[in-house]
Structure formats: C-alpha cells, structure tokens
Amino acid sequence: MAFDIDVLIIYSNDDNQQTDADLGWVNNFKKFLELMLVQVLGKKPNIMLKSEHDSITGANLKKVATLVPILSPAFIESGETLDTLESFFKSVGKSNVERVFKVNKKPVALEEQPAKLKLLLGYDLFEIDSETGEIDDFVDFFSPEAERSFWMKMVDLAYDIHESLIVLNELDRASEVKHIFERRSIYLAETGYDLSIQRNIIKRELQRHGYKVLPDHTLPQEVDELKKVVNKELEECSLSIHLIGSSYGDIPSGSDKSVVDIQNQIAAERSTSLKDKSKFSRLIWISNQLNHASEKQLAFIENVKRDLSSSEGTEILQTALEDFKNIIREELIEVGIDKRMGKSVAPEKNGKPLIYVLHDKIDEKEVGPLKKEIEKAGYKVLTPSFQGELLELRQDHINNLRSFDAAIIYQGKVNNQWVRMKLLDLLKAPGFGRRKPIKGKAIVSSREDKLDISAYKNYNVTLIDGNEKEAIAGLKGFLEELN
C-alpha cells in the first residue's frame, strides 16, 4: 500500500502553546524531525500534525505509515488523542514493522499509559535539572545539555522511523521481502517491566532478519482469555523465548500467577504434548543478577529449573544478557536465516579487543591518560567523534557500538544522567546490528563524590573512581579481567 503520510504526529493542544517568540513545542519538534529525516532518507518526508480537535477518518489513517504520539499528562486526559491512537492501531492490525513511536514530552507513569503504548520504547525529550531533579520542557534547544540529551534522542528517533519507512515502502515492491516475512514465527514472551527494553531490542533484531515475532499486540488482562490467546499464538510458532529477571510481572484478573509465569507454563505444556519434539522448542534466559527478586519470583525460577529435567527440547541459560543475545543471533539469525539466504558473515578480526572509550567533549583532555594506558596495554581505542554534522556523529557512534569488544564510560564534568544515557546505548547495541558479546563494561569517574553502587548494580558494569592514580590502577585490573 502506498502511503500519503510518512509521519503523523498527534498531540494535545496544551503541549503546543505558541507565543510571539516561540512556535510551540510540537511545531519545533516537527521542524527538527523533518530536518533529520531529510538527511537519513535523502528526500523530504510528508509529516502531518494532528491536534486533539483536528479530524481524520479511518480511511485516511490507513494511508499513514508511522504514528508519533506526543505523550504527556494532557495527552492522557484528552479523549480525542486517545481515540486517534486506538483508531490507528485498529487500522494497522497485525504488523511485522514498528509503526508507533512514543515520544515523551513529559513523564507519564507506566500504569497511566494506554495499554498498547506501555511496552514501547519511549524517547524522553524533557529536561531534568541535574541539581534539583526538576523536570521541564527544553527552552534552549541548542544548549550543551540539549545537545547531550534532546538531540541525541531525536537522532535515535529519526533513525528508527527511517528504518520502518524503508521496510514499509519496500514491502509492496520487493517480493524477496514478502518471502522473508513468511518465514518461521517465534514467540517472544512478554516480560516483567525490568526487561521490557531488552525484549524490544531482541524483537526488533529478529524482525529485521525476517522472523514474525508474536505476540504482536497487547495480551488480554483476564486470565482465561489470556490463556486462549497464548495457546493460539504458540501453535503458530516453532520456538518460544522467555526472559526472566527480577520482576515477577503483572498478574491478570482471575489468577494468582503472573503473565510471565503463565506463558512459560503454556509453552512447557505444548512442548510436552507434542510427539515430534523437533516441531517446538523453548529457550529460557534467567538473569544472573537477582538481588532484588521477590520470594515469589525466586520460587518461580526454582520451579523453572526443576522442571527442566522433564522438558525435552528446552534450554535454560543463566548468563550475561549480552551473551544470550549473541547466542540468539548466532543460532537463529546467522546460522538460520542468513545462511539460508546465502549471506556471509564477516569474520571477526584477530587480535586484542577494541575498547570504546565514551566521553564528552568537555572531558577530552582529562580522559587522555586513560586512553594512553589502554593503548600502552596493547589495545586499540575507539573514541567518539565531535566534528561534523550531528547525524554523521551519531552514525560514527553506532559504528563503534557495533564493533567494540569492551566499553569504558568516562565521567568527569558530565552529570549522572549523561552516564545513564551512555549505558542505555550499550544496552541498545544489539539493536544496531552487533554480532558479538560485550566482554566488559566500566564506568571511570574523576568526580569528588563517589559513584553510587546501588544505582548501577543491575547494569553488570565495573565501577572505578578516585584520583588519576587510583583510576589507572582500577583500569589495569579491568583490562586484566578482559584477558
């Protein structure tokens, strides 16, 4: 189907208040997004704004390729915007391509968001005051803080929309692409909130390589209806993947078990009932960091492990999540689809690891001794670029994310939010096409205040802080562990 509108932006009028000196937040957002998409698409996209009081028919929504809801408390309170959102999901139906991109202008609690938006990756475009923690709109879009957060998120959004537009526009023209999407279906089980981002990353990578990923809609909230849907979709799949972390997950109405637990149980029953075990198998990943798991979650995990002995065709892995992603990539993608399509995978370079040292431009001088120490130890250092167009800089960053073996985030003058953004980039690296596990991650801080261990305990990252001498000593220990 040919699309008349590449991007439809829906918003509440309260989020686009205009003055003599300002176009309005949403108008600025549209202008910036259009500029970025022109660079990545090579042509001007057709972007349309729809406020809560503008009308659009269901037939017109079928001509919309992608939808960008501007999420805020005002958006949630507007019946018109929610109706448009629901109408778009209905007009799209089941899709193997991501078509809704959730932009968070203001924070909205997950439980207050529409069900179909809850598990979508959000693009946070609000400003957080590093000293007070207060949240507000960006007023100066060209401040250093905006460059480090607002603009980098905008670039992420532009690239993600670009990928979807390319696939959507090729589906009608390329029979090879149609053939790809007829391939094997995989059930990627819904997770607890702590792993929703990781599930989305795995989902997108599987989709890019041609797999149909189920469930591709929000699961029912009532237990009997939930079981019917899960059973039906598992029948279509030859493999189910289950990610189990610290969160037990939502408990549907009428049940004392979580959605995560129920999906695993139904998949186990399907595996046991089949005479031909080659028709269905399960792959289960259990986090190796369960310090904050509840007693109920720990009991669930023990039951999963205990049942393994009687579950033929089931494999359980309790390892770093990056390693699990690599296993999926090798077994399902490289050995599976890519091999059958005659694609070759570039061999990895021999030699010592490439270490990506992520730092801000304002810390370029201070991070110098660390780079020298890494090179002295025989490793090659990858560094961010600071000269050139913003999209070019982001592409360099993505290339580094694809190729590095270990990463070090340096915190000098930058705040904790900047560090968390870079950690999130490392978590998103598989979504950019990485084909190998991450061997190690570290944060090196030269700030007077010590790194907060509790804030990073779930990131599987080494923390190194202190003066230059202490940092070098800690760095040496990190490099030795890589060997």
Side-chain angles (χ1 to χ4, degrees), residues 3 23 35-36 73 109 131 167 206 215 277 312 337 349 378 395 398-399 445-446 472:
F3 297 102
L23 290 173
L35 288 171
M36 290 186 169
E131 295 182 359
V167 174
L206 289 172
K277 303 302 181 184
E312 187 179 346
I337 283 182
K349 295 180 180 179
Q395 188 58 55
I398 289 173
N399 290 338
S445 175
S446 63
I472 294 294

Side-chain angles (χ1 to χ4, degrees), residues 460-478:
N460 191 26
V461 60
T462 300
L463 302 181
I464 303 169
D465 56 11
N467 58 36
E468 183 177 317
K469 185 177 180 181
E470 292 169 334
I472 294 294
L475 177 64
K476 287 181 178 178
F478 174 74

Side-chain angles (χ1 to χ4, degrees), residues 8 10 50-52 54 56 61 67 79-89:
L8 177 64
I10 61 173
K50 182 195 174 304
S51 73
E52 57 195 314
D54 294 333
I56 187 168
L61 282 174
L67 185 77
E80 290 91 340
T81 56
L82 296 179
D83 287 346
T84 303
L85 181 69
E86 187 60 35
S87 296
F88 182 78
F89 276 111

Side-chain angles (χ1 to χ4, degrees), residues 179-198:
H179 175 67
I180 288 174
F181 281 108
E182 292 170 357
R183 293 179 185 268
R184 194 165 59 145
S185 297
I186 292 177
Y187 190 91
L188 180 59
E190 296 287 3
T191 67
Y193 289 132
D194 57 327
L195 295 175
S196 60
I197 290 177
Q198 301 296 349

Side-chain angles (χ1 to χ4, degrees), residues 243-296:
L243 308 178
I244 301 174
S246 296
S247 171
Y248 185 59
D250 287 336
I251 298 177
S253 174
S255 174
D256 60 352
K257 293 184 177 181
S258 72
V259 174
V260 177
D261 195 339
I262 292 170
Q263 291 173 110
N264 180 69
Q265 180 183 352
I266 295 174
E269 291 170 355
R270 170 168 166 73
S271 179
T272 303
S273 66
L274 289 173
K275 291 182 179 180
D276 185 354
K277 303 302 181 184
S278 66
K279 289 187 177 181
F280 182 76
S281 58
R282 289 189 298 154
L283 189 57
I284 301 173
W285 175 82
I286 299 174
S287 172
N288 54 10
Q289 298 181 14
L290 299 169
N291 297 336
H292 298 289
S294 65
E295 290 298 323
K296 190 167 188 176

Side-chain angles (χ1 to χ4, degrees), residues 55-74:
S55 61
I56 187 168
T57 65
N60 288 333
L61 282 174
K62 289 183 179 295
K63 296 291 187 179
V64 174
T66 62
L67 185 77
V68 177
I70 307 296
L71 219 58
S72 70

